[in-house]
Amino acid sequence: MKCTIDNFSGLIASELAKYNKQVTESVKEIITEEANQLVENIGNDSPKRSRKIKNRVLNRYSKNWTAKKQFENSLNISYTVYNKSDPQLTHLLENGFATRDGGRVEGQKHIEPNEEKMIESLQEKIEKAVGEI
């Protein structure tokens, strides 16, 4: 298509709209992949055994991490990563807890380190995807 003064602004607007759509689709795909990867990583790093908590509960806890899409529109997408079987254990296992006899069970960090890795990975992948478009 030839560019004239009359259609110059329309051509720029249409090209920017195409670019915006490509970037948005790429970012949404990356966020979906990262949410699923985060679920896998947290499940792998979750505590598996403990003398204080029954093994079957921890095995169920480590296997039941999931990512749920909370919101999506043409520009945004949002996921929540959570444990669907035992959500009440996430804080206790991550940060530790006091026992009845006055002792303390130390927490096993399994959510926070994976979250930090995911954020770094997400930033790198988005920057790379935007640079390639």
Side-chain angles (χ1 to χ4, degrees), residues 13-131:
S14 69
E15 289 301 315
L16 286 174
K18 287 179 194 174
Y19 176 77
N20 184 32
K21 185 176 179 180
Q22 290 174 342
V23 168
T24 303
E25 289 174 0
S26 296
V27 169
K28 284 182 176 183
E29 288 175 15
I30 291 169
I31 290 172
T32 302
E33 291 169 8
E34 286 297 313
N36 292 329
Q37 185 64 43
L38 181 62
V39 166
E40 184 179 324
N41 291 344
I42 292 175
N44 290 338
D45 292 348
S46 292
K48 304 290 190 290
R49 298 182 78 184
S50 173
R51 290 183 298 169
K52 301 289 181 187
I53 299 175
K54 295 177 183 175
N55 288 339
R56 66 176 182 76
V57 172
L58 285 180
N59 288 336
R60 184 178 67 209
Y61 174 80
S62 66
K63 292 177 183 176
N64 282 312
W65 285 95
T66 189
K68 182 178 181 181
K69 188 188 310 183
Q70 293 295 316
F71 175 77
E72 182 176 13
N73 66 13
S74 61
L75 297 175
N76 299 313
I77 191 167
S78 174
Y79 282 90
T80 299
V81 175
Y82 66 100
N83 189 288
K84 61 184 174 185
S85 66
D86 299 292
Q88 69 279 8
L89 290 179
T90 57
H91 179 80
L92 297 174
L93 294 174
E94 180 83 4
N95 300 310
F97 56 93
T99 60
R100 281 190 233 170
D101 61 0
R104 177 137 185 94
V105 174
E106 291 300 316
Q108 181 179 342
K109 296 288 185 187
H110 59 286
I111 300 170
E112 186 179 339
N114 285 305
E115 177 189 12
E116 291 169 359
K117 285 182 214 172
M118 189 260 322
I119 290 170
E120 291 174 13
S121 174
L122 190 62
Q123 288 174 345
E124 290 172 8
K125 288 181 178 180
I126 289 174
E127 287 173 3
K128 183 179 176 186
V130 170

Side-chain angles (χ1 to χ4, degrees), residues 3-20:
C3 180
T4 64
I5 292 176
D6 296 334
N7 68 355
F8 181 69
S9 64
L11 288 173
I12 289 177
S14 69
E15 289 301 315
L16 286 174
K18 287 179 194 174
Y19 176 77
N20 184 32

